[in-house]
Amino acid sequence: MASVSNKRTTLKKILPKTPSGIAGLDEITEGGLPKGRPTLICGAAGSGKTLFAIEFIVRGALNYKEPGVFMAFEEKSDELAINVASLGFDLEKLQKQNLIKLDHVHIDRSEIEETGEYDLDGLFIRLGHAIDSIGAKRVVLDTIENLFSGLGNETILRAELRRLFGWLKEKGVTAIITGEKGDGILTRQGLEEYVSDCVILLEHRVCNQISTRLLRIIKYRGSIHGTNEYPFLIDEDGISVLPITSLT
Amino acid sequence: MASVSNKRTTLKKILPKTPSGIAGLDEITEGGLPKGRPTLICGAAGSGKTLFAIEFIVRGALNYKEPGVFMAFEEKSDELAINVASLGFDLEKLQKQNLIKLDHVHIDRSEIEETGEYDLDGLFIRLGHAIDSIGAKRVVLDTIENLFSGLGNETILRAELRRLFGWLKEKGVTAIITGEKGDGILTRQGLEEYVSDCVILLEHRVCNQISTRLLRIIKYRGSIHGTNEYPFLIDEDGISVLPITSLT
Amino acid sequence: MASVSNKRTTLKKILPKTPSGIAGLDEITEGGLPKGRPTLICGAAGSGKTLFAIEFIVRGALNYKEPGVFMAFEEKSDELAINVASLGFDLEKLQKQNLIKLDHVHIDRSEIEETGEYDLDGLFIRLGHAIDSIGAKRVVLDTIENLFSGLGNETILRAELRRLFGWLKEKGVTAIITGEKGDGILTRQGLEEYVSDCVILLEHRVCNQISTRLLRIIKYRGSIHGTNEYPFLIDEDGISVLPITSLT
Amino acid sequence: MASVSNKRTTLKKILPKTPSGIAGLDEITEGGLPKGRPTLICGAAGSGKTLFAIEFIVRGALNYKEPGVFMAFEEKSDELAINVASLGFDLEKLQKQNLIKLDHVHIDRSEIEETGEYDLDGLFIRLGHAIDSIGAKRVVLDTIENLFSGLGNETILRAELRRLFGWLKEKGVTAIITGEKGDGILTRQGLEEYVSDCVILLEHRVCNQISTRLLRIIKYRGSIHGTNEYPFLIDEDGISVLPITSLT
Amino acid sequence: MASVSNKRTTLKKILPKTPSGIAGLDEITEGGLPKGRPTLICGAAGSGKTLFAIEFIVRGALNYKEPGVFMAFEEKSDELAINVASLGFDLEKLQKQNLIKLDHVHIDRSEIEETGEYDLDGLFIRLGHAIDSIGAKRVVLDTIENLFSGLGNETILRAELRRLFGWLKEKGVTAIITGEKGDGILTRQGLEEYVSDCVILLEHRVCNQISTRLLRIIKYRGSIHGTNEYPFLIDEDGISVLPITSLT
Amino acid sequence: MASVSNKRTTLKKILPKTPSGIAGLDEITEGGLPKGRPTLICGAAGSGKTLFAIEFIVRGALNYKEPGVFMAFEEKSDELAINVASLGFDLEKLQKQNLIKLDHVHIDRSEIEETGEYDLDGLFIRLGHAIDSIGAKRVVLDTIENLFSGLGNETILRAELRRLFGWLKEKGVTAIITGEKGDGILTRQGLEEYVSDCVILLEHRVCNQISTRLLRIIKYRGSIHGTNEYPFLIDEDGISVLPITSLT
Ligand SMILES: Nc1ncnc2c1ncn2[C@@H]1O[C@H](COP(=O)(O)OP(=O)(O)O)[C@@H](O)[C@H]1O
Ligand SMILES: Nc1ncnc2c1ncn2[C@@H]1O[C@H](COP(=O)(O)OP(=O)(O)O)[C@@H](O)[C@H]1O
Ligand SMILES: Nc1ncnc2c1ncn2[C@@H]1O[C@H](COP(=O)(O)OP(=O)(O)O)[C@@H](O)[C@H]1O
Ligand SMILES: Nc1ncnc2c1ncn2[C@@H]1O[C@H](COP(=O)(O)OP(=O)(O)O)[C@@H](O)[C@H]1O
Ligand SMILES: Nc1ncnc2c1ncn2[C@@H]1O[C@H](COP(=O)(O)OP(=O)(O)O)[C@@H](O)[C@H]1O
Ligand SMILES: Nc1ncnc2c1ncn2[C@@H]1O[C@H](COP(=O)(O)OP(=O)(O)O)[C@@H](O)[C@H]1O
Ligand SMILES: [Mg+2]
Ligand SMILES: [Mg+2]
Ligand SMILES: [Mg+2]
Ligand SMILES: [Mg+2]
Ligand SMILES: [Mg+2]
Ligand SMILES: [Mg+2]
C-alpha cells in the first residue's frame, strides 16, 4: 500500500481552508470554507444567506486581511449598509479603506427582452475589475437565482454554471454563492450536485410556534466536517453557530 | 476591529422604522415596519391581509399624522369603507379630511387582450398623483397578484417587480404590498426573496375544528425581531397581535 | 381619534346582512350573508353545495318574502325539483307562485368549439330577465366551474369573474355562487381571494369509516363571524348547522 | 310555510329508486339506485367495479324482471361470462333468455388515429339497439375511462359526458357507469361533480398487510343515505355490503 | 333464480388456472395464474419481477411439461442464464432440451428515430415463431416499459396494449408481462385497469433499516384469492411466498 | 428435476464478483460488485457517490492489481486528487505508476447548442483509449446526469443508456456509474430498472438534528445479498460499511 498514508495531520494541509470568521462555523468545518473554491449557501427567504455572506466578507477584511467583493443582484449598496449596521458592520468605512467593495448589479427588463438572457461575459469583466481593484481574496454573489432565472434549457444552465464556478476557481478567490433551497429554479434542478465543492443549508424552522435557525453542511468535497444540524443565532454580533453535537 | 461597534442603541437609529399602529406588532418588530421601504404581507384568502393593510393606513393617518394611499385592485372604495366600518374606521371622513386616499383600479379584460399585460407606467403615474395629492407617507397595494397574474415569463416578472419596489423606495413611502402565500403565482416563484425587505406571513389555521390566526415575520432585512409565530385577533378594535413569546 | 368609534351596535348596521334561513348559519354569521353581495360556497362533490344554495332560495321566498332565481348549469329544473322534494321543498309550486325561478343553462359542445368560450354577455341578459320577471332579491349560480372550465388564460378568467361578480353587485342581489374546492380549475387559481366577499367551505370528511359534514367560513369581508369548523346535518328538514363552538 | 311539508313518507315516493339487488346496498341507500338516472361507480383496479356492475345487471334480470345491457370496453363477453361463473351467474343462459345482453365494444387504434376521438353518436345507436332488442331497464358502461381517454380538451370532455348522461336519462334506463378514482383522467377532472346524480366509491385498502374492501356513497342527489364507509365482501355469493354503522 | 347455482366446486372448473410452480403462490391464488390469459407483475427495480417470471417459465417446463418462451427487452440470454444459475436454474440445458426459449430483443436508437415507435407487428411475428418452435404454453415479456416508453399518445398506447394482450389471449398462452409500479409511464396511466385479468404487485419495503419483500394480488378477474400482503423470500430455491394470513 | 441443482457453493462461481475493497461492502454483497458489469451508485449531493467510486478505483489498483479509469464530468483531476488526499489516497502517484487514469471531460455550452446533445461515440473512443492505455479492469463515470441531462426524448435516452451499458459490458470492465436519486432526470425515469445489474443507494438522513449515512443494495441481479439499510462512515480511512444486520 505504497501510496496510502494515514497521517491525517500531514494530509490536512492538502485541501487548504479559509476561516470564515463566523463564530462556530470554522469549528464545525475543521478550519473554514474551501480556500480558492466556491461554496453554495442555500436557504429560503429570511434564512440568513445574505447576512452569512456579508459577515464572511467583513470578517475576512477585518480579521484576516482578505479584501472582499460583494456583488448583489437585489439589495443596493446603501441598503445593504443600513441592513447590517445594527450588527456592527460599517460597510461604508470598509469600502473607503478599500477592504471591501460592494457592487449592485441591476438586471433590466429591456436587457432580458432583447437577448433572452443575461450576459455572463459582461459579469466576468465587471467582477474581474472589482476583484483586481482591491486585490480581493473573497467574493460573494447574492443571489445566483436572479442571475439565471431566465435560462430555460437545463443543459445550458448547467454548462453556464460550470463556466461561472470554473471562472471563480481560476481567479483563485474563495467565493460564496447564495441560492434558494427547494423552491428556486436552480436548486430544484439539483445544481448543488454538479457545480459546488461545499454546500451549506440554512433553515428557519417553526415548530409549535417557536422558531429555530439551523445550519447543515450538505456536502464538503475533500473534507471531514460535522454532518448534523447545528442551531445558530442572528443577533447584534452577527451569526453564531452552536457546534453542540460532536463531529462524526 | 476598527469599524465594528457593539453599541446597539446607537445603531438602531440607522434602519429607521415606522410604527404600524397595529397593537402588538410594533413590539415584535422593535419599532414597526421599515421606514421608506416596502413590506410584503402574505397569506391565504381571509387571513387578514386587507384588514392589516387598511389598519396600517388608518392608524398612520390618525395616530402618526402620516397621510396614506390605499390602492385596491379588487374591492371598490365604498365596499372597503363598509367592510371596515365595524372596526370603527370611518374611511369616508378620513378621505374628506385628506388624511387618506382610496383608489380602486379596475383591470379590464379588453385591456389585457390587447396588450397582454397591465401597463406598469400608467400605475406609477396614477399612484404618484395620489401620493402627491395628500402628501402621503404610507402606501398600500392590495393585492399584487391581481397586478401581475398575466405575466408568464418569470425573468420579466422579477424585473417588473423590482421596478415597482424600486419606484416605491424612490418615492420614499413606507409601503405595504399584499400577496397570496403558496398558491399564488408570484409567491410560488419565491418573489419575497428578491424584492422585499420585510415579509410578514398571516395564517388562519384550523386544528381540531378550532381556528387560530397566526402572524410570523418571515424576513426583516436589517432588523432584529421576534421570529416565532404570534397569535392575533380580529375584533371590533381591529388587529391585535399577542407578543406572547419572548424575542430570540 | 375623531373618526374612530367603538360602538359596535351602531356600526353593525353598516354592512347589511340577509338571513339565509338555514338553521344555525345566521347565528354563526351574526345575521346571515352579506346583503347585495355574492357569496362563494366551495366544496367537493356531494358536500352539499346545491342543497345549501336551493335552501337559501326557498327559505328566502317563504320566510323572508324575497323571490329568488336559481340558475343551474348541471341539473335540469325538474330533476332539481325531485332532488329536493324529500326536504319538503315544493319547487314547482313556488315557481307557479312566482316566488322562485329555476333556469337550467345547457352549455353545448358546438358552441364551445366555435367560440372557444361561453359568452358571458348572453348569461347577463338571460339572468337579468329572470331576475326582473319575479323581482328577485336572491340569485344562485350552480356551479361556476361549468361556466368557466373552458377558459385557459388565467388573467382573462379573473377579469371575467370580476365582471360577473361586479354585475351581480350592480343588480343589488344577494347571490350564491358554488364552486369546487381544491381540485377545480377556478379554486385552484385561488379565485376566492379576488372575487368574493364571503367564502364558505363545505366538507364531507370520513375518519375511521365514520363521516362528518363540516362548514367553515373561510372569509367574510367586513364582518365578525365564527371561524371554527361547525358540523352540519342534511336531513328531511334541510341543512342544520350546529354552532357548537364559541365565537372567536 | 305553505309549500313546506314534513311528511317524509309521502315525499320519499318522489325520487323513485331501483333496488340494486346487491346485499346490503339497498339498505344503505334506503331503496337502491336512482331510478332512470345514471350512477357512477369509482375505484382503482381490482376494487370490484365490474363485479358490482354485473351483479346489478344479473340481479335486475333475475330478481326484478328488469332486462339489462352490459356494454364492456375491455373484457370480451365470453371472458366476462367465465369471470363471473364462480359467483353463480350464468350469463350465457341469461342472454339466451333475452334477460341480459352483453356487448363488447372494441376501440381500434386506426379509428383513433383517423378521427382523433371515438364517435359518441355511433355508441348511442349501438346502445339504443341493444336496449330496444330486450326492452332493457338497466344499462352498464364499463368503463368510461376507455371511452374518453383520448379527449384532451376538458370543456369538450365535460360537454360530451353531459351528452352521454343526458342521453341515458332520456332513454329512461337506470344506468351504471364505472370509472377509475383519482388516477384516471376523467375523475382527476372531478367529473363526478358535473355529470352524476349518484357516485359510489369502492376501495381496497391494505393496512398492516391485511386488506379490507370498503364502499362509500360519495354523493346521492335527492336522497338521504348512509354516508360512512361500509365494509364489503366478494365471495361465491357476489358482493355483500355490511351496513354496520347507523344512518346519518 | 333459475340460472344462479351455488355449488362452488362445479363452478371453479370454469375459470381454468395454471399452477405457477412458485412455492406458496398457487395456494394464495387457489390454483395459480389464469390459464391462457396474461398476468401483469408490477414492482420497482429489484423487487423480483424478472426472477418471478423466469421461475414461472422454468417450473412450467420442469414440473408441468409446459414449454415456455422468455422474451427479454433488457437482459441478454447469457446474462439471464448467469443471473439465475445460483437459483439452480440451468437455462442453457433447458434451451437445448427445447423446453424453454430465451429471446433478447434489442430496441435500437436509430429504429426509434425513424419510426417514432417500436413495430408491434414485428414483435408478434417473432414471438409467434418462438412459441411455435417449441410448442410453448407459457410466455414472458420482461418488461413492457421498454416496449412502449416511446408512445406519447395515451389512447393509442391503450389501444396497442389491448392489441398485445388480445394477441396473447388468441395464442392461448399463459403469459406474464412485467412492468414498473408507480413511477413507470404505463402504470402511471393505470394500464392495469384496462388490459390485465390478473395483476400482482411485488414490493421491497424498508422499515427501520430492515427490509421485507411483499407480494399482493391487486386484481384477479373471475377468481377468489387471498387479498392481503404476503411476505416472500428470494433464496437459493427461488421465490417462496408465505401464505401466512388466511383467505378473505 | 434434471436441471435443477441445489449446491449453492458450485453455482456461486457462475456470477463472478470483483471485491470492491470498500470495508464491509464485500461482506454484504457476498463478494463484491458484479465482475465485468456496470453498477449504478445513486444518491443525493454529498451522499458519498464520488468517494465511493474513487475508493473503488484506488483499492482496485492497490489491493487487487486492477488498473482503473476515473472519468469525471464535474471535478477536475487535480481537484479530485486534493479532495481525496485526506483519505490517504495519492492519486497523482497512482497515475504516474499507470495504476489509475483520471480523465476530466468538459461539456461545453457551444457544443450542446450546436448538436443538441453530447456525442456518445466520442466518449466511447476517449474512454476506450484510456482503458487500453493502462489495461484498466475498472471504470468509473461520475456522474451520468451530466452526460445525459440534455436528452429530452425518453425512449432515445433509454436506448442510449443501453448502448453505454452494453459498450461497458463488451469492454469487459467492472464499472461504476454514479447518478442522482429521485430528483435527477434519469433516475426519475426509473433508469435503474433497465440498464443496471447492480444498483446501490447512498443516503444521508438527518433525524432530530443527528445525521446518519446509510447504504442499501436496491437490486443485484443474479446474486444473494444483504437487503437492509446499512450505516456507513466516511473518515480518514475512506468508507466503512457496517454490516450490522444479518443477511436475508
Ligand atoms: N477527504 C474527505 N475526508 C472526509 N470526508 C470527506 C472527504 N471528502 C468528502 N468527504 C465527505 O463525503 C461527503 C460526500 O462527498 P462526495 O463523494 O463528493 O459526494 P457526492 O459525489 O455523492 O456528491 C462530503 O460531503 C463530505 O462530508
Ligand atoms: N441587522 C440585523 N440584526 C438582527 N437580525 C437581522 C439583521 N438583519 C437581518 N436579520 C435577521 O436575519 C434574517 C435573514 O436575513 P437575510 O440574510 O437577508 O436573509 P436571506 O438573504 O436568506 O433572505 C432576517 O429576516 C432577520 O431576521
Ligand atoms: N369588519 C370586520 N369585523 C370583524 N372581522 C372582520 C371584519 N372584516 C373582516 N373580518 C375578518 O377578517 C377576515 C380577513 O379579511 P381580509 O382582510 O379581507 O382578508 P384577506 O385580504 O387576507 O383575504 C375576514 O374573513 C373576517 O373573518
Ligand atoms: N333530498 C335529500 N335528502 C337528504 N339528503 C340529501 C338530499 N339531497 C341530497 N342529499 C345529500 O346531500 C348531499 C349533497 O348534495 P348536493 O347538494 O347535490 O352536493 P353538491 O352540490 O355539493 O355536489 C348528497 O350527496 C346527499 O348525501
Ligand atoms: N369470480 C370471482 N370470485 C371471487 N372473487 C372475484 C371473482 N371475480 C373477481 N373477484 C374479485 O373481485 C376483484 C375485483 O374484480 P373487478 O370487478 O374486475 O374489479 P374492477 O372492475 O374494479 O377492476 C378481483 O380482483 C377479485 O379479487
Ligand atoms: N441468483 C440470485 N440469488 C439470490 N437472489 C437473487 C438472485 N438474483 C436476484 N436476486 C435478488 O432478487 C432481486 C430482484 O431481482 P430481479 O428479479 O432482477 O428484479 P426486477 O426484475 O424486479 O428488477 C435482486 O435485487 C436480488 O436481491
Ligand atoms: Mg438575501
Ligand atoms: Mg384582501
Ligand atoms: Mg351540486
Ligand atoms: Mg373492471
Ligand atoms: Mg427485471
Ligand atoms: Mg460527486
Side-chain angles (χ1 to χ4, degrees), chain C:
Chain C
M1 266 187 270
S3 45
V4 175
S5 131
N6 277 318
K7 292 182 67 176
R8 194 169 153 196
T9 40
T10 324
L11 288 159
K12 251 194 184 161
K13 286 172 203 145
I14 295 177
L15 178 72
K17 295 186 180 175
T18 296
S20 66
I22 292 170
L25 184 70
D26 297 334
E27 203 172 313
I28 291 165
T29 53
E30 301 211 327
L33 303 184
K35 192 186 184 84
R37 292 187 178 184
T39 287
L40 182 67
I41 308 292
C42 293
S47 59
K49 299 180 297 295
T50 299
L51 275 197
F52 187 105
I54 200 81
E55 183 157 356
F56 166 72
I57 290 293
V58 169
R59 299 287 179 209
L62 291 172
N63 304 1
Y64 305 103
K65 310 240 172 286
E66 295 196 357
V69 170
F70 193 100
M71 191 164 251
F73 298 98
E74 193 37 46
E75 287 156 280
K76 295 204 178 124
S77 304
D78 54 335
E79 290 170 6
L80 206 59
I82 292 175
N83 288 347
V84 300
S86 70
L87 305 173
F89 302 154
D90 189 342
L91 299 190
E92 218 164 315
K93 188 171 168 192
L94 289 167
Q95 281 222 80
K96 280 189 195 131
Q97 297 172 330
N98 272 334
L99 285 173
I100 70 168
K101 196 167 166 44
L102 306 181
D103 191 6
H104 175 256
V105 181
H106 179 70
I107 301 175
D108 199 1
R109 176 178 179 166
S110 60
E111 218 173 311
I112 300 163
E113 275 176 337
E114 272 167 44
T115 66
E117 60 189 83
Y118 186 78
D119 184 6
L120 213 55
D121 292 311
L123 181 85
F124 290 164
I125 293 170
R126 185 162 171 174
L127 188 52
H129 280 314
I131 291 171
D132 296 344
S133 73
I134 58 166
K137 299 273 174 285
R138 302 184 177 210
V139 164
V140 164
L141 298 180
D142 181 43
T143 81
I144 211 176
E145 215 76 36
N146 265 314
L147 196 54
F148 286 116
S149 59
L151 271 178
N153 182 302
E154 195 189 330
T155 315
I156 291 179
L157 184 90
R158 294 197 159 159
E160 282 299 86
L161 273 166
R162 221 171 293 130
R163 195 154 75 99
L164 171 59
F165 279 70
W167 186 90
L168 288 167
K169 284 185 187 174
E170 263 170 52
K171 273 286 174 191
V173 292
T174 307
I176 281 184
I177 280 89
T178 63
E180 219 179 316
K181 178 75 195 174
D183 292 333
I185 284 195
L186 301 181
T187 43
R188 244 184 293 145
Q189 313 275 13
L191 99 148
E192 61 269 36
E193 175 74 353
Y194 308 105
V195 292
S196 213
D197 293 297
C198 181
V199 182
I200 297 179
L201 174 66
L202 306 183
E203 263 187 287
H204 197 176
R205 233 179 266 160
V206 178
C207 190
N208 291 326
Q209 302 184 23
I210 306 299
S211 75
T212 326
R213 296 184 185 277
L214 292 163
L215 176 150
R216 185 181 156 213
I217 298 166
I218 298 274
K219 172 172 186 167
Y220 198 147
R221 279 183 183 151
S223 168
I224 207 165
H225 58 83
T227 55
N228 297 325
E229 290 182 334
Y230 302 94
F232 72 96
L233 304 173
I234 300 177
D235 58 20
E236 54 266 41
D237 300 322
I239 291 179
S240 328
V241 187
L242 311 177
I244 59 173
T245 46
S246 56
L247 285 185
T248 307

Side-chain angles (χ1 to χ4, degrees), chain A residues 49-50 75 142-143, chain B residues 193 219 221:
Chain A
K49 299 179 298 295
T50 299
E75 288 156 280
D142 181 42
T143 82
Chain B
E193 175 75 353
K219 172 171 186 170
R221 280 181 181 152

Side-chain angles (χ1 to χ4, degrees), chain F residues 10 13 23 26 47 60 64 72 77 80 82 94 100 119-120 147 150 155 165 179 187-188 200 224 230 247:
Chain F
T10 327
K13 286 172 201 143
D26 297 334
S47 59
Y64 305 103
S77 304
L80 207 59
I82 292 174
L94 289 167
I100 70 168
D119 183 8
L120 211 57
L147 197 53
T155 316
F165 278 69
T187 44
R188 244 184 292 148
I200 297 178
I224 208 166
Y230 303 95
L247 285 184

Side-chain angles (χ1 to χ4, degrees), chain E residues 42-54 75 82-88 142-143 178 202 204 213 234-236 239, chain F residues 15 192-193 196-197 217-227:
Chain E
C42 292
S47 59
K49 298 180 297 296
T50 299
L51 274 197
F52 187 106
I54 201 81
E75 288 157 277
I82 292 175
N83 289 346
V84 300
S86 69
L87 305 173
D142 181 44
T143 81
T178 64
L202 306 182
H204 197 174
R213 295 185 185 277
I234 301 177
D235 58 20
E236 53 266 41
I239 291 178
Chain F
L15 178 73
E192 62 270 35
E193 174 75 349
S196 212
D197 294 296
I217 299 167
I218 299 273
K219 171 172 187 169
Y220 198 145
R221 279 181 182 152
S223 168
I224 208 166
H225 59 85
T227 55

Side-chain angles (χ1 to χ4, degrees), chain E residues 74 109 145-146 150 180 211, chain F residues 117 155 160 162 194 227-228:
Chain E
E74 193 36 48
R109 174 177 179 165
E145 214 77 35
N146 265 314
E180 220 180 315
S211 75
Chain F
E117 60 190 84
T155 316
E160 281 299 86
R162 221 171 291 130
Y194 308 105
T227 55
N228 296 325

Side-chain angles (χ1 to χ4, degrees), chain B:
Chain B
M1 264 188 272
S3 44
V4 175
S5 130
N6 279 318
K7 292 182 66 177
R8 192 168 154 198
T9 41
T10 325
L11 288 159
K12 252 194 184 161
K13 287 173 202 144
I14 295 178
L15 178 73
K17 297 187 179 174
T18 296
S20 67
I22 291 170
L25 183 70
D26 297 333
E27 204 173 313
I28 291 165
T29 54
E30 300 212 330
L33 303 183
K35 192 187 184 85
R37 291 186 179 185
T39 286
L40 182 68
I41 307 294
C42 293
S47 59
K49 299 180 298 295
T50 299
L51 274 197
F52 187 106
I54 200 81
E55 182 157 357
F56 167 72
I57 291 293
V58 169
R59 300 288 178 210
L62 291 172
N63 303 3
Y64 305 102
K65 310 238 171 289
E66 295 197 356
V69 170
F70 193 100
M71 191 163 250
F73 297 97
E74 193 36 47
E75 287 156 281
K76 296 207 178 120
S77 303
D78 54 336
E79 291 171 4
L80 207 60
I82 292 175
N83 288 347
V84 299
S86 69
L87 304 174
F89 302 155
D90 188 342
L91 298 191
E92 219 165 313
K93 188 171 170 191
L94 289 167
Q95 281 222 79
K96 280 189 195 132
Q97 296 173 332
N98 272 334
L99 284 173
I100 70 168
K101 195 165 166 47
L102 307 180
D103 191 6
H104 175 256
V105 180
H106 180 70
I107 301 176
D108 199 2
R109 176 178 178 165
S110 60
E111 219 173 314
I112 300 163
E113 275 175 336
E114 272 168 45
T115 66
E117 59 188 86
Y118 187 77
D119 183 9
L120 211 57
D121 292 310
L123 181 85
F124 290 164
I125 293 170
R126 186 162 171 174
L127 187 52
H129 281 314
I131 291 171
D132 296 343
S133 72
I134 58 166
K137 299 273 173 286
R138 301 184 177 210
V139 164
V140 165
L141 298 180
D142 181 41
T143 81
I144 211 175
E145 215 76 37
N146 265 314
L147 197 53
F148 286 115
S149 60
L151 271 177
N153 182 303
E154 195 188 331
T155 317
I156 291 179
L157 184 90
R158 293 197 159 162
E160 282 298 86
L161 274 167
R162 221 171 290 130
R163 196 154 74 99
L164 171 60
F165 279 68
W167 186 90
L168 288 166
K169 283 185 186 176
E170 264 171 50
K171 273 287 176 191
V173 291
T174 307
I176 280 183
I177 281 90
T178 63
E180 219 180 317
K181 179 74 194 174
D183 292 333
I185 284 195
L186 301 181
T187 43
R188 243 184 295 148
Q189 314 274 13
L191 99 149
E192 61 270 36
E193 175 75 353
Y194 308 106
V195 292
S196 211
D197 294 297
C198 181
V199 182
I200 297 178
L201 174 66
L202 306 183
E203 263 187 287
H204 196 175
R205 230 179 269 160
V206 178
C207 191
N208 293 325
Q209 301 182 24
I210 306 298
S211 75
T212 326
R213 296 185 184 276
L214 291 163
L215 176 150
R216 184 183 157 212
I217 299 167
I218 298 273
K219 172 171 186 170
Y220 197 146
R221 280 181 181 152
S223 168
I224 208 166
H225 59 84
T227 55
N228 297 326
E229 289 182 336
Y230 302 95
F232 73 95
L233 303 173
I234 301 178
D235 58 20
E236 54 266 42
D237 301 322
I239 292 178
S240 329
V241 188
L242 311 178
I244 57 172
T245 45
S246 56
L247 285 185
T248 308

